[in-house]
Amino acid sequence: MVGSSHEALHRIFQKDPALLTRALQRVLHVPFPEPREIAALNVDLTEIEPVERRVDTLLRAETDEGTYLLVVESQGKADDRKQGSWPYYLSYLYEKYRCEPVLIVITQSSATAKWAARPIRFGFPGWNSLTVRPLVLGPDNVPVIADERQAERDVPLAVLSAMTHGRGPQAPAILESLASALRTIDSDSAAVFVQFVDSCLADPQAKQMWRDLMTAIQYFWRHPLAEQVREEGREEGREEGREEGRIEDRRQMVLRILEWRGISVPDGIRQRVDSCTDLDQLEVWAQRAVRAADAAELFATE
């Protein structure tokens, strides 16, 4: 189970290794050769001496031009210790596998992206004994995918977009498009992607809206992460009454989805939702709220 944005940001490439080469080619415009095969490798770089070193994700890409090791590092903030550890990782991996290592850094922060993109140089001016040039994926170059059809064409890339841009005014359109696109893939993969996004959303409102969207289309509640949320709901339910707690939660979910999508909710519609005591009916309205063009569409077929 993914418990942090750090883990989710690099593990998405374990879930779909081909996404990494697509990101290099389409986002960074690096002419990385098309892999014939990509395999995940052991991330443990520990030496015999009691010094443990681990990369976040390590993939081997077999291409017509040779074999490459793709080293993915998830970076939350600037860390000057990486000036020593990143070159060490690359040198060690080349010595161990005799394959060309490529360092890719992924971050949710523009400032961290700029820091990580700076070349690491060892040697004296005019003659560098070693130069490390990370490839960086971050909010300044990962595309904003806020169109449902575009998200459906490449769901993993849409997930990466949500993980990178899941805050600010563009978040509703990104998450709404991704929620719709998840309907087009198998439920097991969708549940994993749901957790990746949930782990990366630092904005509490965006996280709640994402969980509301996922509840409405049922993916989130099939995932182990949902047990934590259900337990929180049960705790609240013990105070107010379990059934009433669930009904109130669904009422609020219907209204939150509409408001979060920028749809005005007239007082009459708000009162109708607030007065509903039918849990099944509220579930239907929540699902309609995900796609409704206006609040009245909640009751369009009634």
Side-chain angles (χ1 to χ4, degrees):
M1 179 173 171
V2 177
S4 68
S5 62
H6 173 93
E7 190 173 2
L9 280 169
H10 69 84
R11 278 191 55 188
I12 186 175
F13 298 115
Q14 297 177 14
K15 173 65 179 173
D16 186 348
L19 171 63
L20 185 56
T21 57
R22 294 201 302 276
L24 294 179
Q25 295 164 352
R26 301 178 191 177
V27 178
L28 299 181
H29 306 293
V30 174
F32 191 85
E34 194 66 32
R36 294 193 307 271
E37 179 185 354
I38 297 182
L41 303 179
N42 191 336
V43 299
D44 191 349
L45 307 184
T46 306
E47 300 182 53
I48 295 177
E49 299 177 4
V51 178
E52 184 175 315
R53 300 180 189 272
R54 293 177 182 268
V55 296
D56 288 335
T57 285
L58 179 62
L59 304 169
R60 181 180 61 222
E62 304 283 354
T63 77
D64 291 335
E65 299 177 21
T67 301
Y68 296 89
L69 298 176
L70 305 180
V71 185
V72 185
E73 285 283 283
S74 173
Q75 196 67 30
K77 61 182 180 180
D79 184 353
D80 289 338
R81 292 174 299 178
K82 299 298 184 179
Q83 186 169 1
S85 59
W86 283 346
Y88 171 85
Y89 294 162
L90 301 182
S91 299
Y92 176 88
L93 288 169
Y94 180 79
E95 178 65 22
K96 181 175 181 178
Y97 293 102
R98 290 294 169 176
C99 299
E100 298 289 345
V102 180
L103 175 61
I104 301 103
V105 179
I106 181 166
T107 181
Q108 295 174 292
S109 164
S110 294
T112 303
K114 292 177 182 177
W115 164 84
R118 296 182 303 179
I120 300 173
R121 296 187 175 93
F122 292 145
F124 56 87
W127 190 272
N128 296 321
S129 300
L130 175 65
T131 301
V132 174
R133 298 178 61 196
L135 296 167
V136 182
L137 294 167
D140 295 330
N141 54 22
V142 172
V144 174
I145 298 181
D147 177 78
E148 182 178 331
R149 290 187 177 87
Q150 186 181 3
E152 290 177 358
R153 285 196 294 269
D154 194 336
V155 175
L157 186 60
V159 174
L160 183 62
S161 176
M163 292 162 61
T164 308
H165 300 285
R167 63 177 66 188
Q170 56 200 355
I174 293 172
L175 297 181
E176 181 184 348
S177 298
L178 177 57
S180 296
L182 287 175
R183 299 171 182 266
T184 66
I185 64 175
D186 67 278
S187 59
D188 289 340
S189 293
V192 174
F193 287 145
V194 165
Q195 190 186 6
F196 285 162
V197 175
D198 190 86
S199 296
C200 286
L201 292 175
D203 182 353
Q205 184 179 10
K207 184 184 286 285
Q208 183 59 56
M209 293 303 105
W210 177 243
R211 291 184 172 186
D212 287 346
L213 286 168
M214 292 302 97
T215 301
I217 62 175
Q218 302 301 315
Y219 282 127
F220 178 73
W221 297 91
R222 288 199 295 270
H223 195 278
L225 178 63
E227 183 57 36
Q228 174 185 343
V229 180
R230 283 196 292 267
E231 182 59 33
E232 293 172 359
R234 283 194 289 267
E235 288 296 333
E236 295 177 1
R238 292 188 184 102
E239 298 177 3
E240 302 178 12
R242 287 183 175 84
E243 185 67 15
E244 180 58 35
R246 284 194 291 269
I247 291 172
E248 179 60 26
D249 178 69
R250 290 302 182 274
R251 291 171 181 157
Q252 294 303 314
M253 183 175 70
V254 172
L255 298 174
R256 280 199 305 262
I257 291 175
L258 292 173
E259 292 169 352
W260 180 66
R261 293 182 60 221
I263 295 175
S264 176
V265 182
D267 290 341
I269 291 178
R270 186 181 300 275
Q271 291 171 4
R272 183 170 176 180
V273 172
D274 283 339
S275 63
C276 181
T277 58
D278 186 334
L279 188 59
D280 292 338
Q281 181 63 73
L282 290 167
E283 293 280 7
V284 171
W285 289 348
Q287 294 181 35
R288 291 177 184 168
V290 175
R291 292 178 174 271
D294 59 66
E297 287 190 15
L298 291 181
F299 323 120
T301 61
E302 297 169 19

